[in-house]
Amino acid sequence: MAHQAHSYHMVDPSPWPIFGAAAALLTTSGLIMWFHYSSTTLLTMGLLSMLLVMLQWWRDVIRESTFQGHHTPTVQKGLRYGMILFITSEAFFFLGFFWAFFHSSLAPTPELGGQWPPTGVKPLNPLEVPLLNTAILLASGVTVTWAHHSITEGNRKQAIHALTLTILLGFYFTALQAMEYHEASFSIADSVYGSTFFVATGFHGLHVIIGSSFLTVCLLRLIKFHFTPNHHFGFEAAAWYWHFVDIIWLFLYMSMYWWGS
Amino acid sequence: MGERPCGPRGRSPARSPSGPAAQGRLLWAGLHPPLLWAAPRLPRATRAIRPPRPRPSAPPLPLPPPPPPEALIAAAAAMASRLLRVGAALRLLPAATARAAPARHFAAPGDLATDEEQATGLERKVMEAMNKGLDPYSMFRPKRYAGTKEDPNLVPSITDKRIVGCVCEEDNSCVIWFWLHKGEAQRCPSCGSHYKLIPHELPH
């Protein structure tokens, strides 16, 4: 180990950042090729390389922390700030889409019939599947908190049960939302209503999938004894992200599903 | 009182950034300049002892029956403090004598391992040092001393000199920087408080 008089982690040289940048380039240019020239080669290469970089980079972080012990309390504090800043940036990302929604719906234009929902658009009933989805995400917030308490008490069995339940609820949400997308009478092309609805709920669904994946990785690590009652920041970060996803859904439900119907 | 201005005009002409402490400077009685490096936590009667924050630990054997999820919601407020728990832990260095060592036990088979069993590398070194009340990696605020000739500010260093930044009075934005060398105690060129270098070993 390097000789140091501080408790920070000076990371060894790694190829993942530049490979990640290359993957981002392939993905973005791949999207252009797909949109304009109907070719998916570049996009597939981009998404595949992005996936490989993520797997290997985060695998290395787990090696450095759990197996090599580089994550001192000081390092953990930095990671906490980092995750909070990231989630804040995601909140601003969604803020943009909420802005678009309210801009369009508070003063509906004549092209829409001067009303919201626009003429001819039959919105989803907020008291049916969307309400169930709300209950599912709220329940998953409870189960992830239960898992957290179990971890701090060292209770591995209960933590595994609670985290598994959380992930299953997340999958249930995703499945129901996919079904709703299939069954909706309007599409993304149906005026600004369709645009704002599907872009906002679509990005939210993507974040649910990301959050579920994060929680699944935490479940695998929990089963393999990576976490201790005092040191389990990976799980805490996943739980924060999951709560964030839940809160975004609540805003989506209240504004687009309920008020907007 | 207005703030002491920074820069050449605001500095004492007797400033000596290296070598023995400046002579003829009046010591400001009763002032305790906050320091900008970490000092070792030496056991002193005058030191304010903060009570160690109760740390979450696994319950003793046999484990109590698991609480229902509903009851856990009521405890969520306590859990919210975990958000920056590590930040809180970094602010408190438990006194060596008052250490209850809640993390020092072995988990029952089938439970999650504790840090005591599983921590490794630098994390383990930091944990063991904290358990003994030491701060070899300068993670905490430096200890404050009277700064007099009899009770100088002790500055640990792994070499023969270290930079000191003296904030002479509380809330001063002008920090007085100078090299502190091994040997006789030096004095801050601005407020005259005494500083002495204490050699200590590289942590690892």
Side-chain angles (χ1 to χ4, degrees), chain A:
Chain A
M1 189 187 301
H3 295 286
Q4 56 184 67
H6 59 81
S7 56
Y8 292 92
H9 180 200
M10 306 301 283
V11 185
D12 289 329
S14 161
W16 309 126
I18 194 149
F19 284 174
L25 174 64
L26 289 174
T27 307
T28 45
S29 47
L31 282 169
I32 294 169
M33 292 305 288
W34 182 42
F35 291 156
H36 293 279
Y37 302 105
S38 296
S39 160
T40 53
T41 320
L42 217 52
L43 181 59
T44 313
M45 279 166 56
L47 290 173
L48 182 66
S49 50
M50 202 162 86
L51 181 68
L52 287 171
V53 166
M54 288 196 292
L55 288 176
Q56 292 176 103
W57 193 337
W58 285 323
R59 174 209 66 191
D60 282 355
V61 173
I62 293 172
R63 285 178 175 175
E64 288 159 6
S65 57
T66 305
F67 299 118
Q68 293 185 331
H70 284 290
H71 285 198
T72 60
T74 314
V75 172
Q76 255 198 67
K77 193 162 177 231
L79 291 169
R80 280 168 198 273
Y81 280 127
M83 192 66 194
I84 287 171
L85 289 171
F86 172 64
I87 291 176
T88 307
S89 78
E90 295 252 78
F92 280 104
F93 178 72
F94 277 98
L95 194 70
F97 297 122
F98 277 104
W99 184 348
F101 168 74
F102 282 114
H103 176 95
S104 311
S105 57
L106 283 166
T109 60
E111 291 89 345
L112 306 174
Q115 64 178 38
W116 192 276
T119 313
V121 170
K122 187 167 167 299
L124 299 166
N125 186 344
L127 299 175
E128 289 179 0
V129 173
L131 186 61
L132 173 61
N133 273 343
T134 307
I136 289 169
L137 283 185
L138 287 173
S140 72
V142 169
T143 52
V144 80
T145 308
W146 175 17
H148 193 187
H149 281 251
S150 305
I151 289 175
T152 50
E153 288 161 16
N155 191 336
R156 181 170 172 264
K157 195 154 89 83
Q158 277 216 356
I160 290 173
H161 288 165
L163 188 49
T164 308
L165 204 49
T166 310
I167 294 166
L168 288 174
L169 287 168
F171 284 163
Y172 189 24
F173 176 94
T174 306
L176 282 172
Q177 195 70 330
M179 186 214 72
E180 280 280 274
Y181 270 31
H182 185 67
E183 299 284 337
S185 64
F186 56 91
S187 79
I188 195 172
D190 285 318
S191 80
V192 75
Y193 183 90
S195 300
T196 49
F197 180 87
F198 284 108
V199 166
T201 58
F203 271 117
H204 175 263
L206 177 65
H207 283 68
V208 170
I209 292 167
I210 293 169
S212 304
S213 311
F214 197 171
L215 288 168
T216 305
V217 168
C218 285
L219 178 62
L220 294 172
R221 293 184 68 200
L222 175 62
I223 290 170
K224 286 171 168 286
F225 293 94
H226 287 199
F227 299 134
T228 71
N230 280 335
H231 189 173
H232 46 266
F233 177 65
F235 175 84
E236 290 186 65
W240 291 350
Y241 197 78
W242 192 251
H243 287 307
F244 161 74
V245 157
D246 186 11
I247 289 166
I248 293 291
W249 170 259
L250 293 175
F251 279 110
L252 277 175
Y253 181 75
M254 289 190 297
S255 53
M256 294 196 190
Y257 285 92
W258 197 354
W259 176 82
S261 69

Side-chain angles (χ1 to χ4, degrees), chain B residues 23-65:
Chain B
Q23 301 297 317
R25 293 276 308 155
L26 279 177
L27 185 67
W28 291 12
L31 282 178
H32 297 268
L35 309 175
L36 293 173
W37 77 95
R41 294 271 172 168
L42 303 178
R44 281 172 182 268
T46 52
R47 179 173 142 214
I49 307 273
R50 285 191 198 134
R53 184 170 175 278
R55 290 171 59 175
S57 61
L61 295 174
L63 289 173

